[in-house]
Amino acid sequence: EGQLMADFNYAYIGYDNRATDAASTISGTNVAAGFSVASLGNWQSFDFTQFDDGSCSVVIDCGQAVEIDYFAIAGHTLFSTNADDIVFEAANNSGFSLSVVTLVSLNLDSAGSVPAYSGIYGGVTLPSQQVRGNPVSVFKFAPVARRYYRLRFTAATACKIGVIAFGERMQFQRGFYTGFNPPSLNEQVDVSNNRSETGQYLGRSIVRSGAASGSIDLERVTRAWIDTVWTPFRRHADLYPFFLSWGLNPLVDATLAHQQSWSPSRTIRRIGTTEFYSVGIKYEGVI
């Protein structure tokens, strides 16, 4: 149990998104006709940008050097279309020749309907693994401050990306584990069963699929943490989605979520002059 608690301290939330900043400008290469990379400047996974096969890129100019320590993609088809050489990098110039640093690098090890990928992110080796579908993927790394950030990849066929996010992640003051439902292990699928007039089974259709509702309850957090960390996140989540990374596998242990309700904030104890509180959130999302 102690090891589980320690492992789960790695959970974090990404909601600070430089791609959506008013000061940022987005450009791209090999964008399909009729689509615009401006669609990547919001949190809507259904509002996607499509790319043609070949060498593709998305460049975000933040206007000045900004610090980031996470990168995420959602609403994409990079894996199912067998995209290769997927790289997220940062630089101090638009030509990506000054102070360049590679933050995430994924390689296609074997193509197919269930491809296998391996790579490196933040100096951590990601072992080769099969990837089913196109899961929300979130990567963390040591803080980097640059003005220009670029996602580039080689598309084997037409593919799309709905959301690109990168910024500073929100760390929890304390780890949590008991009672948490990992989103990628709790997919909720609503189906419609079809029958003939005589009751014979004619098949079924998926009406909706997504992650089952989940919640995070945080105990014994300080008022200082609530004011400086939790409250800014809460103000964001009242209006926009966010990324929750809960495990140690960045390719699958994450969800793009939106807030359903907030747990009551309560004082629970005082030790000396320090007051401790409990806060929480109920959410649902996609996986």
Side-chain angles (χ1 to χ4, degrees):
E1 180 180 356
Q3 184 61 42
L4 290 174
M5 288 292 289
D7 285 350
F8 222 71
N9 286 337
Y10 288 109
Y12 61 91
I13 283 177
Y15 75 95
D16 174 45
N17 186 0
R18 299 299 185 179
T20 64
D21 284 353
S24 297
T25 57
I26 305 176
S27 59
T29 61
N30 209 25
V31 176
F35 292 86
S36 170
V37 287
S39 297
L40 299 175
N42 60 48
W43 283 94
Q44 309 302 329
S45 58
F46 63 84
D47 184 19
F48 61 88
T49 299
Q50 184 164 306
F51 298 85
D52 292 326
D53 61 288
S55 180
C56 308
S57 68
V58 177
V59 175
I60 297 93
D61 176 2
C62 297
Q64 61 181 352
V66 296
E67 187 172 274
I68 73 167
D69 56 15
Y70 89 92
F71 166 71
I73 54 173
H76 68 94
T77 58
L78 294 179
F79 301 144
S80 64
T81 58
N82 296 173
D84 198 1
D85 304 319
I86 304 170
V87 175
F88 180 65
E89 56 193 350
N92 279 331
N93 68 322
S94 59
F96 284 80
S97 59
L98 297 177
S99 302
V100 183
V101 56
T102 298
L103 302 171
V104 178
S105 178
L106 297 177
N107 303 309
L108 178 66
D109 296 328
S110 61
S113 58
V114 184
Y117 284 87
S118 62
I120 297 176
Y121 66 100
V124 177
T125 299
L126 186 67
S128 184
Q129 60 188 282
Q130 289 186 318
V131 182
R132 296 182 181 276
N134 296 285
V136 174
S137 299
V138 185
F139 306 85
K140 68 177 181 179
F141 36 79
V144 169
R146 299 289 191 276
R147 173 174 173 173
Y148 298 91
Y149 294 89
R150 177 170 68 181
L151 172 66
R152 57 181 174 86
F153 56 92
T154 301
T157 186
C159 60
K160 67 179 183 178
I161 301 176
V163 178
I164 287 179
F166 58 95
E168 295 184 73
R169 63 183 184 268
M170 185 192 87
Q171 297 288 154
F172 294 102
Q173 187 174 28
R174 297 182 184 276
F176 57 93
Y177 193 87
T178 302
F180 179 74
N181 299 323
S184 61
L185 302 180
N186 287 277
E187 186 173 8
Q188 188 173 46
V189 180
D190 298 331
V191 299
S192 174
N193 292 311
N194 304 308
R195 295 181 174 86
S196 69
E197 291 182 356
T198 57
Q200 296 184 61
Y201 174 70
L202 298 178
R204 60 186 351 201
S205 302
I206 295 178
V207 177
R208 176 185 179 275
S209 63
S213 296
S215 63
I216 298 172
D217 295 305
L218 306 173
E219 300 284 345
R220 293 185 297 129
V221 294
T222 61
R223 177 62 183 272
W225 183 83
I226 291 174
D227 290 343
T228 59
V229 180
W230 182 257
T231 298
F233 161 67
R234 177 167 177 158
R235 289 172 177 166
H236 168 93
D238 279 337
L239 299 173
Y240 306 106
F242 57 91
F243 287 96
L244 169 61
S245 175
W246 62 270
L248 298 176
N249 187 336
L251 287 184
V252 296
D253 291 346
T255 184
L256 176 62
H258 63 267
Q259 173 262 351
Q260 286 185 307
S261 62
W262 299 102
S263 302
S265 298
R266 300 180 293 110
T267 57
I268 56 176
R269 69 176 60 183
R270 174 182 289 177
I271 300 178
T273 59
T274 302
E275 293 181 340
F276 291 93
Y277 295 73
S278 67
V279 295
I281 181 176
K282 184 176 181 181
Y283 64 88
E284 67 176 2
V286 299
I287 52 179

